[in-house]
Amino acid sequence: MLINKSHPEEFILHGFGDCPWLELPLFIILLVTYPTAMIGNIVIILVSILDPCLHSPMYFFLSNLSFLDMCYTTSIVPQMLTNLGGSTKTISYMRCVVQLYFFYIMGGTECVLLALMSFDRYVDICKPLHYTLIMNRRTCLLLVSTVWLTGISYAVSEATVTLQLPLCGHNKMDHLVCEIPVLIKTDCGEKETNELALSVVCIFLLAVPLCLILASYACIGHAVFKIKSSEGRKKAFGTCSSHLVVVLLFYGPAISMYLQPPSSITKDQPKFMALFYGVVTPTLNPFIYTLRNKGVKRALGNLFRNIFISK
């Protein structure tokens, strides 16, 4: 990890300094939703491990998604709570660097993981007789390792290049957390070139997995409509609905943010986006998969029943 030797000792995160009345409500919301997100995702991981009926590729990928969400929210929410709940609005340079790497590793990995999860649904519905052969344990481990390696490679390359930009003593950032676009704005060099490079990489990382997801669901839709029984169609759609909702939650705001010209982004938009990805999606994902998935609901019932019986 390369460090810019001309960096300031700390950054001042302005946050919602222009709207101080927002800070207390947001602090309370974060204080409630952060533990909720952590507990929800831990429960998903536990039931996926403890229930033998959930030892399938779909729940293996879901466990990885839950772990990602836990790391994602932990990388930024504690800093947000510090920023919103106290008078100190600073973050040390090293904490900023660590936050930057973790934030983008988790974000980049989740982009690719969602595409992998859609491929798993495609194989399950379109090639059911070959599902266990194609999605065997070794293949799943290889695919998940590739997903993580892709996310890490993206984050390390993007964050490392950004950290080398000349800051010329500037240490004020109009944000709640350390993010690459905000650091580029702090840069006293060629902002336009760096912003263009960031947009190209983000478009690639968003567009390629999204195209794979759309292609997978196009094939799934074609296969489902060929099923004659309404019960069979309902069951096939039921296995995909949770993943589709999560994809829309993740890709919708990301596309609206990163695919629009930097000049059209309002100064508070990145802050609300950070709140959305740091709090809303990690909190909602466990509920989406729990409420819309019979397997997870049954496994949760068994887990709580066993806990009460043991007591």
Side-chain angles (χ1 to χ4, degrees):
M1 184 168 64
L2 298 173
I3 302 297
N4 188 344
K5 293 180 180 179
S6 64
H7 67 79
E9 290 295 319
E10 61 183 18
F11 289 105
I12 299 170
L13 299 169
H14 188 254
F16 289 102
D18 295 337
C19 306
W21 56 272
L22 262 178
E23 293 188 343
L24 182 59
L26 287 174
F27 179 80
I28 293 169
I29 291 169
L30 288 177
L31 206 58
V32 173
T33 53
Y34 177 56
T36 304
M38 295 298 287
I39 292 167
N41 284 293
I42 288 169
V43 168
I44 292 286
I45 293 170
L46 282 176
V47 296
S48 298
I49 293 170
L50 297 176
D51 195 308
C53 295
L54 300 187
H55 291 177
S56 67
M58 184 173 83
Y59 296 104
F60 174 61
F61 299 142
L62 178 58
S63 297
N64 274 269
L65 181 65
S66 292
F67 178 71
L68 268 173
D69 282 339
M70 287 169 58
C71 296
Y72 200 69
T73 190
T74 301
S75 70
I76 60 173
V77 171
Q79 177 58 43
M80 287 180 177
L81 286 169
T82 304
N83 187 296
L84 294 168
S87 56
T88 304
K89 308 290 185 185
T90 59
I91 180 172
S92 69
Y93 180 79
M94 283 309 301
R95 281 182 65 191
C96 179
V97 169
V98 171
Q99 186 181 86
L100 200 69
Y101 277 99
F102 267 91
F103 184 74
Y104 282 91
I105 286 171
M106 301 309 154
T109 304
E110 188 157 341
C111 272
V112 189
L113 180 62
L114 290 173
L116 175 57
M117 292 173 79
S118 70
F119 173 73
D120 172 67
R121 294 298 82 221
Y122 159 75
V123 177
D124 186 28
I125 293 169
C126 299
K127 300 183 183 294
L129 298 178
H130 301 95
Y131 181 70
T132 53
L133 181 65
I134 296 171
M135 302 301 290
N136 58 64
R137 183 175 178 80
R138 184 173 177 276
T139 303
C140 289
L141 287 170
L142 182 64
L143 288 170
V144 165
S145 301
T146 304
V147 165
W148 277 94
L149 189 61
T150 304
I152 291 168
S153 301
Y154 156 73
V156 169
S157 58
E158 277 289 296
T160 302
V161 170
T162 303
L163 291 168
Q164 299 308 302
L165 298 175
L167 300 178
C168 304
H170 300 159
N171 71 333
K172 293 182 180 179
M173 294 194 291
D174 191 13
H175 208 323
L176 290 162
V177 294
C178 289
E179 271 202 272
I180 288 176
V182 185
L183 281 170
I184 289 175
K185 287 185 184 297
T186 312
D187 166 34
C188 58
E190 296 182 5
K191 289 187 177 66
E192 293 78 12
T193 305
N194 295 323
E195 284 177 343
L196 178 62
L198 175 65
S199 297
V200 169
V201 173
C202 287
I203 288 170
F204 180 79
L205 193 72
L206 287 170
V208 173
L210 185 58
C211 286
L212 292 172
I213 291 169
L214 293 174
S216 297
Y217 277 105
C219 295
I220 288 169
H222 180 70
V224 167
F225 283 117
K226 287 167 68 177
I227 299 172
K228 293 180 179 179
S229 70
S230 58
E231 188 63 33
R233 285 197 297 269
K234 186 179 177 182
K235 184 180 178 182
F237 274 124
T239 63
C240 302
S241 58
S242 300
H243 180 255
L244 270 173
V245 174
V246 170
V247 166
L248 288 171
L249 274 175
F250 185 84
Y251 276 95
I255 289 170
S256 68
M257 174 74 175
Y258 285 109
L259 299 192
Q260 61 180 304
S263 57
S264 67
I265 299 174
T266 63
K267 70 170 190 172
D268 286 333
Q269 194 174 346
K271 302 171 195 175
F272 285 110
M273 287 289 289
L275 283 167
F276 182 84
Y277 281 111
V279 181
V280 178
T281 53
T283 305
L284 289 181
N285 285 354
F287 289 101
I288 291 167
Y289 275 100
T290 303
L291 296 175
R292 301 186 65 86
N293 190 299
K294 290 180 181 178
V296 176
K297 282 195 283 189
R298 181 193 50 75
L300 276 173
N302 291 340
L303 178 65
F304 288 124
R305 199 178 300 115
N306 290 336
I307 290 171
F308 287 126
I309 289 171
S310 65
K311 285 185 178 181

